[in-house]
Amino acid sequence: MTDMHGLLAEIRRPRLLMRAARLGLACYRRERDLRRLVPDPEPDRAMATLLAEERDLERRRQAGEATYSVTHHVEVLIALIAESRLAPPAECVQSRSAGCSGHRAEALRATSSGGAGGSGASPS
């Protein structure tokens, strides 16, 4: 599986476009909005379809094509951001059989056992 969080973090779009998408997240309803944007609502395929659609919209925006729709671009960005929040982080996908213990569990053990510097308090 591709790291969708990483792909989304690499997207560089105009600030106003991204701000509109972030504001639209409050109104996003997956069962209503995703069905309108992609034919297959299965998370992996939906993300791939949304990413491809967003790339095409960005190409059309930059080329100044008459077929570009800013509202559709914002809708796709809203869905991309919302779906990426629903997707598990890449490290959890890779270690799903291990119960997603991986690095997070090691970090929790280190901080709770006083490792990595401890709390700084000395016993009296």
Side-chain angles (χ1 to χ4, degrees), residues 68-85:
Y68 172 72
S69 167
V70 69
T71 45
H72 184 60
H73 201 164
V74 171
E75 288 173 341
V76 170
L77 285 169
I78 291 168
L80 261 175
I81 295 168
E83 292 299 310
S84 73
R85 289 180 177 180

Side-chain angles (χ1 to χ4, degrees), residues 89-103:
E91 69 181 42
C92 288
V93 171
Q94 293 170 355
S95 63
R96 186 169 289 177
S97 62
C100 194
S101 56
H103 300 292

Side-chain angles (χ1 to χ4, degrees), residues 22-103:
R22 280 192 300 275
L23 289 172
L25 283 171
C27 297
Y28 180 78
R29 281 196 3 228
R30 187 175 199 274
E31 60 279 350
R32 175 194 66 199
D33 300 327
L34 190 61
R35 186 177 326 155
R36 198 165 22 99
L37 296 170
V38 297
D40 186 1
E42 194 274 318
D44 288 341
R45 286 191 285 268
M47 284 294 289
T49 304
L50 288 168
L51 278 169
E53 177 72 13
E54 198 284 326
R55 284 186 189 123
D56 183 56
L57 286 163
E58 180 62 11
R59 181 195 55 77
R60 287 192 270 164
R61 182 188 71 79
Q62 289 181 348
E65 291 184 13
T67 58
Y68 172 72
S69 167
V70 69
T71 45
H72 184 60
H73 201 164
V74 171
E75 288 173 341
V76 170
L77 285 169
I78 291 168
L80 261 175
I81 295 168
E83 292 299 310
S84 73
R85 289 180 177 180
L86 294 174
E91 69 181 42
C92 288
V93 171
Q94 293 170 355
S95 63
R96 186 169 289 177
S97 62
C100 194
S101 56
H103 300 292

